[in-house]
Amino acid sequence: MKKIMLITLLGVFGTSSSQQVADESYAPIISSPEYESGKGPIVFIDEGHHNFHTKNGRYKGFSNILESDGYIVKAYKGAFEKKKLETGKILVISNAQNEINVQNWYLPNPSAFTKSEIKNIEQWVHEGGSLFLIADHMPMAGAAQDLAAAFKFEFTNGFAMDTLIRGPAYFNIKEGTLIESNITKGRNSTENITQIATFTGQAFKIPSDAKPILVFNERYVNRLPDTAWVFEKKTPVYNAKGLSQGAYKKYGKGRIVAFGEAAMFTTQLAGPNKIKVGMNRDDAKENYQLLLNIIHWLDQKFD
């Protein structure tokens, strides 16, 4: 029964890492780029913590969009050091992992970051840096819990899942699951977001000084298995209503955006049939605009 449950729930969106490649053909037109090509500030994408998503890997589409908007996107290698962080404006951390979980997606899921690294990031943000922290379902959520907690976000090391249908989760203004905010409005009316698609991920609690972007309704539950994608009768589960999958806040002179799902910002081709997953899907057409709005907010282009 365990194997049957695992295979059924993996479906399209839980394909193994070897079956997920970037869709190189995806290239949305950026009609009003923030900067001239190569003239924007540096955006670091973390590659020093066994990251599932990297600049020229599964976040190739992510980095392409930012570069089309004029940003200089660089891979961040090695440990987080304050002086090195100060050479960039925005730090993106997507699905970092502790070394012990790179091949083994089961408990325990210790932090991907040392205490000194967390302190360095916290101080850098407080002094004016901008952090975009993305941590998917377990074990990635567990690996980022300590870093998120430094900013008072409570990541849950599980799987946020719809109880009625399988496939993408849709957050929209009409149902009140996509919360209208400065980030969903963007720089002008042409950048307003009305619906976003995500692909499983985790649910988390936000601090009182943060603003939600994506909020789960009563249809969703949070499952906390001891092994990724293996759900048994004994697996803890509770309703996810009111928990978030995206939120943001100012922190000192800096800013942080936290998301509990990473594939929504990819352009993947998954499985032998190369099924689209991420911003390249027809039902996720506004995801790329949300990404740009987030980066512009982190860049302090609007409040």
Side-chain angles (χ1 to χ4, degrees):
M1 176 60 76
K2 181 184 290 186
K3 284 188 176 181
I4 293 174
M5 181 73 77
L6 170 62
I7 293 170
T8 300
L9 289 171
L10 271 169
V12 172
F13 308 114
T15 50
S16 69
S17 60
S18 63
Q19 292 180 303
Q20 298 175 20
V21 297
D23 182 355
E24 301 272 350
S25 68
Y26 180 75
I29 297 174
I30 311 299
S31 58
S32 300
E34 185 62 44
Y35 300 98
E36 293 181 24
S37 181
K39 300 295 185 180
I42 292 173
V43 177
F44 283 128
I45 295 182
D46 178 33
E47 295 188 9
H49 299 85
H50 305 286
N51 303 78
F52 195 73
H53 297 91
T54 56
K55 178 184 182 296
N56 292 313
R58 297 183 185 90
Y59 261 22
K60 178 64 174 174
F62 182 110
S63 59
N64 284 350
I65 288 174
L66 269 58
E67 288 171 342
S68 295
D69 203 37
Y71 289 91
I72 300 169
V73 183
K74 294 184 177 182
Y76 189 107
K77 307 284 188 177
F80 290 124
E81 301 172 352
K82 199 159 176 289
K83 287 186 177 180
K84 187 174 179 180
L85 287 170
E86 288 170 352
T87 65
K89 179 71 177 288
I90 299 169
L91 171 64
V92 179
I93 301 175
S94 182
N95 280 353
Q97 301 177 81
N98 186 284
E99 184 177 7
I100 72 169
N101 293 128
V102 173
Q103 299 297 328
N104 303 307
W105 281 16
Y106 49 74
L107 296 177
N109 303 144
S111 177
F113 318 102
T114 65
K115 291 182 179 179
S116 62
E117 284 183 298
I118 293 172
K119 182 178 180 180
N120 288 340
I121 294 172
E122 186 272 331
Q123 290 181 345
W124 172 71
V125 174
H126 194 269
E127 293 172 9
S130 290
L131 173 63
F132 190 5
L133 178 61
I134 308 167
D136 225 310
H137 55 68
M138 79 164 300
M140 280 74 78
Q145 279 180 328
D146 290 352
L147 177 55
F151 300 94
K152 309 303 181 184
F153 289 90
E154 297 181 36
F155 282 3
T156 61
N157 194 31
F159 289 75
M161 308 182 81
D162 194 331
T163 56
L164 300 183
I165 59 173
R166 283 182 290 163
Y170 300 107
F171 298 84
N172 56 67
I173 295 291
K174 183 179 179 180
E175 295 181 355
T177 50
L178 175 65
I179 308 302
E180 188 174 275
S181 66
N182 289 346
I183 283 182
T184 62
K185 291 178 180 179
R187 296 173 299 181
N188 54 61
S189 60
T190 67
E191 298 180 347
N192 289 180
I193 308 297
T194 59
Q195 179 170 289
I196 293 298
T198 74
F199 307 88
T200 312
Q202 57 135 331
F204 59 88
K205 296 179 181 179
I206 70 173
S208 60
D209 59 345
K211 298 178 181 179
I213 300 173
L214 308 180
V215 177
F216 291 103
N217 60 24
E218 65 280 354
R219 283 177 47 176
Y220 290 82
V221 295
N222 199 28
R223 302 182 188 277
L224 303 171
D226 55 20
T227 302
W229 294 108
V230 177
F231 307 102
E232 305 173 292
K233 289 183 177 179
K234 67 178 183 180
T235 300
V237 56
Y238 60 89
N239 197 276
K241 182 179 180 181
L243 296 179
S244 295
Q245 198 163 53
Y248 68 106
K249 77 172 192 174
K250 295 179 181 179
Y251 186 79
K253 296 179 180 178
R255 302 184 174 197
I256 175 172
V257 173
F259 266 74
E261 207 281 300
M264 63 180 291
F265 298 119
T266 65
T267 57
Q268 296 182 54
L269 298 175
N273 295 325
K274 298 190 180 302
I275 296 172
K276 293 181 178 180
V277 179
M279 296 182 288
N280 52 343
R281 285 175 61 92
D282 289 340
D283 56 1
K285 289 181 178 180
E286 297 181 74
N287 282 33
Y288 90 92
Q289 186 61 62
L290 177 61
L291 171 59
L292 285 174
N293 291 359
I294 288 170
I295 295 298
H296 293 159
W297 184 81
L298 289 169
D299 194 16
Q300 301 191 19
K301 293 303 175 182
F302 57 87
D303 282 334

